[in-house]
Amino acid sequence: MLTNVTEIPVTQLHGEVWALKQQGYRLVTLTCCDLGDAHDILYHFDKDYTLKHLRLRLPRGESLPSITDLFFAAVLVENEIQDLFGVTVAGMVVDYKGRFLLSEGAPVAPLNKPIGIGIDIRAKAPVAEGGKAS
Amino acid sequence: MATMLSNIMKNLGRKAATRLYPFEKRELPTTTRGHLDIEIDKCIFCGACQKRCPTNAINVTRDPKTWAVNHYACIVCGYCVEVCPKDCLLLRNEHLPQP
Amino acid sequence: MIRRNTIPFGPQHPVLPEPIQLRLVMEDEKIIEALPAIGYIHRGLEKIAEKKDFIQDVYLAERICGICSFMHSQNYCQGIESLMNLTVPDRGRYLRTIWAEIHRVHSHLLALGLLADSFGFENLFMQLWRTREIILDIMEQTAGGRVMLGTCCIGGVRKDISSAQATVVLRQLDQVQKECDEILPALLNDYSVKQRTVGVGVLPRDKAHELGAVGPVARASGIGMDYREQGYAAYPDLGFKKVVETAGDCYARTLVRVKEIAESIRMARLALEKAPQGPIAVPFKGNPTGEVLARIEQPRGELNFYIKGNGTRNLERFRVRTPTFANLPPLLHMLTGCQLADVPVIALSIDPCISCTER
């Protein structure tokens, strides 16, 4: 089970990450989940095998501030989130502009949940004539 | 330097590590998962294997009674063998020849 | 006036076993900046995991990587077990340890062989892979597959190792030990190998920590981080000792792997001898609920699975952070300032596995 989780607003992200860096934590990774109307972003940190997590709720359409200026290790995973979830990450040190894992002609934000399935609270989008809702 | 040289000298005295493949074939252990096979007489066409298959390689229909496996999709994991209620699926240890 | 050039290194390159492109900004022969470009083999595995049920995902998780496959399924099973509060029986824990350690030996031999190939020592490469063949035979005899064991399942393992098989495996491990004792000194003491690896691609300890290095890369830089210390599976009973070096160069990373091979063979032998009798798996009911970050020590470093279940048969989210993904930023740091001729050696000294990185 995930313990030691701190929920923070987007504005406090930099301060919290900086504090953890000062305490000698190592960035393990970021995890992004699609919650329907928002993205749930988890920052995992580790120090002497003790995990600490920061949880961020990012409403759809808002951009995520990058932490690559503090932890360069986040550069790959932030690009990955930008590719697979369509979240704009602002201020990355190295920005692949959505072409990190995906190429031209690839599906857009493939890891987002399809609209109207599962936990998604949004109304099901009307199916276009002859097309598929995706 | 000398350690590698002594290895090379030892290798000269050893028999070859490879075998003359098409003429001399490796004997497979009995545990090898080669390919999936079925004893069709025992099968009751319940479809349990089709439901569990991780790669959807198995196709079972009740009417008419057919059972088919796509050997290209099958990953030979043996999950279907475990769930079969009649124990009619089995893994053979030889690999299927190239078509 | 020195001109700057950009050299694409990969995705198809004679020494790179897997497709990654390193864009190297050069000034003469010196590298100023390196950037990776991946995405050649992105398979969307995390998305498939959401569509299959959580038992089928065990086989999917195993296929994330083609070299350390068993440990991926082990980590996935450990994650699900912690969500469902299952306790694996003692024999199941021991069998998992045996297969994991045998897998580690095979992965390290493969990595050392590829490293030898990267500086053109093909004879050594062939010999290391000949030894690895014995390990593959062990896996085929015990589990049925040469690389994809498919033996791990939620709640334990699916196959038992009989005592007759254990005797054969112990004998084969003796053979592996004997061959390693012959060949590995040649790798460590050879003059030309030392010329190519000592002092090349140095990663200082503070940089390794800051850039999030894991596994042999971190341990070669003096960070004593090995998750086996925390005692999952049967490691607490086997007297595990971690290997730490301080130099931080390619030679230290090689040395860590060489020493870990000996340690892994020792633990696999001990586990085979000590494994208690009893059931190998526990039955379970229900579906996983909640979220967990499962961790395990893989040959390349620490592997993290984030698993989120929602009480149905399908997982809500399955995220994979493989060790190479964490080791790429340290690799970029190592490459900066080195010579073009050293790029293959440095890239292979972190033992990159791009297929699992991209999933």
Side-chain angles (χ1 to χ4, degrees):
Chain A
M1 288 289 163
L2 220 56
T3 49
N4 212 354
V5 186
T6 322
E7 296 213 11
I8 51 160
V10 183
T11 44
Q12 280 177 25
L13 176 68
H14 257 85
E16 290 280 337
V17 174
W18 176 244
L20 286 173
K21 188 174 178 177
Q22 294 304 100
Q23 290 166 38
Y25 276 87
R26 168 180 71 93
L27 179 77
V28 176
T29 193
L30 273 69
T31 303
C32 181
C33 286
D34 186 16
L35 297 182
D37 57 341
H39 283 105
D40 179 31
I41 293 165
L42 274 164
Y43 291 76
H44 310 283
F45 293 91
D46 165 271
K47 185 188 180 186
D48 301 331
Y49 307 120
T50 313
L51 285 170
K52 196 166 167 54
H53 314 275
L54 298 178
R55 171 161 261 156
L56 200 76
R57 196 183 157 86
L58 189 78
R60 233 169 231 272
E62 280 188 25
S63 74
L64 179 73
S66 168
I67 58 162
T68 44
D69 46 348
L70 299 174
F71 280 103
F72 181 70
V75 71
L76 296 181
V77 68
E78 282 186 351
N79 273 298
E80 185 188 300
I81 287 175
Q82 180 167 294
D83 274 28
L84 299 180
F85 288 92
V87 176
T88 325
V89 186
M92 276 188 286
V93 177
V94 183
D95 194 345
Y96 287 84
K97 311 245 186 253
R99 291 282 171 269
F100 179 58
L101 283 177
L102 305 179
S103 56
E104 285 87 3
V108 179
L111 254 68
N112 278 342
K113 304 264 187 243
I115 292 169
I117 292 180
I119 44 135
D120 194 355
I121 52 163
R122 290 165 296 172
K124 199 167 180 172
V127 181
E129 199 65 38
K132 275 188 205 159
S134 64
Chain B
M1 196 70 179
T3 44
M4 196 63 205
L5 200 65
S6 66
N7 269 310
I8 292 168
M9 289 327 231
K10 266 184 212 158
N11 281 339
L12 286 175
R14 260 182 212 163
K15 72 174 175 56
T18 50
R19 62 184 83 77
L20 282 170
Y21 166 64
F23 310 109
E24 189 189 333
K25 282 188 181 143
R26 190 169 69 103
E27 221 174 278
L28 293 167
T30 47
T31 45
T32 301
R33 289 170 298 161
H35 70 273
L36 179 68
D37 205 353
I38 186 170
E39 292 172 357
I40 198 79
D41 306 336
K42 282 203 249 167
C43 182
I44 53 169
F45 303 96
C46 61
C49 47
Q50 180 186 6
K51 241 178 269 163
R52 309 290 173 84
C53 179
T55 56
N56 305 333
I58 302 175
N59 193 10
V60 185
T61 52
R62 290 206 167 183
D63 193 30
K65 289 183 172 177
T66 60
W67 183 95
V69 58
N70 177 1
H71 284 294
Y72 289 106
C74 177
I75 53 171
V76 214
C77 60
Y79 189 25
C80 49
V81 179
E82 278 174 21
V83 297
C84 182
K86 288 282 168 190
D87 289 331
C88 63
L89 291 170
L90 64 158
L91 292 176
R92 299 215 184 272
N93 81 327
E94 70 268 25
H95 296 278
L96 282 180
Q98 292 282 324
Chain C
M1 172 74 190
I2 306 167
R3 271 184 56 209
R4 284 201 174 187
N5 289 313
T6 307
I7 295 184
F9 185 87
Q12 276 91 29
H13 190 278
V15 304
L16 275 181
E18 301 199 45
I20 179 173
Q21 189 179 53
L22 294 165
R23 286 185 195 140
L24 307 170
V25 180
M26 316 281 304
E27 251 177 26
D28 274 352
E29 289 279 299
K30 199 171 153 222
I31 292 162
I32 304 297
E33 196 187 359
L35 263 186
I38 63 173
Y40 297 98
I41 35 170
H42 177 65
R43 291 163 287 171
L45 239 140
E46 292 172 353
K47 188 75 181 171
I48 312 172
E50 290 168 14
K51 306 225 163 161
K52 306 230 173 264
D53 81 37
F54 71 99
I55 304 172
Q56 294 174 335
D57 280 346
V58 178
Y59 305 102
L60 185 71
E62 186 157 32
R63 277 155 184 81
I64 292 172
C65 182
I67 298 165
C68 35
S69 54
F70 182 76
M71 282 175 240
H72 280 275
S73 60
Q74 187 188 359
N75 193 22
Y76 177 79
C77 292
Q78 284 179 0
I80 295 282
E81 279 151 15
S82 74
L83 287 181
M84 297 171 81
N85 293 320
L86 294 171
T87 316
V88 181
D90 280 347
R91 191 167 175 80
R93 287 195 294 123
Y94 269 85
L95 289 174
R96 277 184 183 182
T97 315
I98 293 164
W99 275 311
E101 288 310 310
I102 289 176
H103 238 104
R104 193 181 311 274
V105 178
H106 127 77
S107 173
H108 277 348
L109 282 172
L110 181 133
L112 293 174
L114 288 174
L115 181 79
D117 188 39
S118 77
F119 43 70
F121 204 158
E122 297 215 355
N123 196 337
L124 188 58
F125 159 64
M126 296 286 177
Q127 297 215 28
L128 287 165
W129 280 40
R130 183 180 66 193
T131 310
R132 174 175 166 262
E133 205 65 18
I134 306 172
I135 304 270
L136 296 182
D137 285 346
I138 293 178
M139 296 202 276
E140 188 169 14
Q141 281 158 23
T142 53
R146 284 168 75 75
V147 175
M148 294 294 164
L149 301 186
T151 45
C152 207
C153 67
I154 296 164
V157 290
R158 293 164 71 202
K159 264 203 176 103
D160 204 349
I161 298 181
S162 67
S163 57
Q165 276 176 334
T167 325
V168 178
V169 172
L170 282 173
R171 205 167 54 233
Q172 282 171 314
L173 282 176
D174 280 341
Q175 179 68 20
V176 174
Q177 179 81 62
K178 191 172 143 257
E179 292 197 9
C180 283
D181 288 344
E182 281 175 11
I183 304 160
L184 292 176
L187 176 67
L188 292 179
N189 303 330
D190 194 275
Y191 170 79
S192 46
V193 175
K194 279 191 175 172
Q195 287 289 309
R196 291 303 301 273
T197 52
V198 175
V200 172
V202 179
L203 184 71
R205 190 197 149 96
D206 55 331
K207 271 286 171 194
H209 180 83
E210 188 196 322
L211 296 172
V214 292
V217 178
R219 289 199 284 282
S221 296
I223 300 174
M225 182 176 69
D226 193 323
Y227 201 67
R228 284 177 286 174
E229 270 189 319
Q230 291 292 294
Y232 61 90
Y235 292 110
D237 313 346
L238 299 175
F240 166 69
K241 283 190 285 297
K242 65 185 172 191
V243 181
V244 184
E245 289 290 324
T246 48
D249 55 1
C250 291
Y251 187 75
R253 289 190 276 279
T254 313
L255 201 57
V256 167
R257 292 204 176 91
V258 168
K259 287 183 178 170
E260 279 189 3
I261 288 176
E263 179 71 6
S264 289
I265 294 177
R266 183 189 71 78
M267 282 198 289
R269 294 182 58 91
L270 195 61
L272 272 167
E273 283 158 4
K274 270 178 79 172
Q277 292 302 318
I280 55 169
V282 284
F284 63 93
K285 256 194 258 172
N287 300 322
T289 320
E291 49 186 351
V292 73
L293 190 74
R295 308 164 86 193
I296 201 171
E297 188 73 19
Q298 222 207 3
R300 293 177 179 77
E302 184 195 77
L303 172 72
N304 297 69
F305 281 179
Y306 171 84
I307 303 167
K308 187 177 181 185
N310 54 1
T312 63
R313 292 193 71 78
N314 296 73
L315 295 177
E316 180 78 36
R317 176 94 167 97
F318 174 53
R319 186 205 174 343
V320 181
R321 203 288 325 251
T322 57
T324 309
F325 199 83
N327 278 337
L328 279 178
L331 173 68
L332 303 182
H333 178 80
M334 288 176 221
L335 286 175
T336 315
C338 81
Q339 298 289 309
L340 179 63
D342 289 331
V343 173
V345 181
I346 296 173
L348 286 172
S349 76
I350 72 156
D351 192 6
C353 182
I354 307 303
S355 298
C356 40
T357 302
E358 293 189 24
R359 306 164 310 274

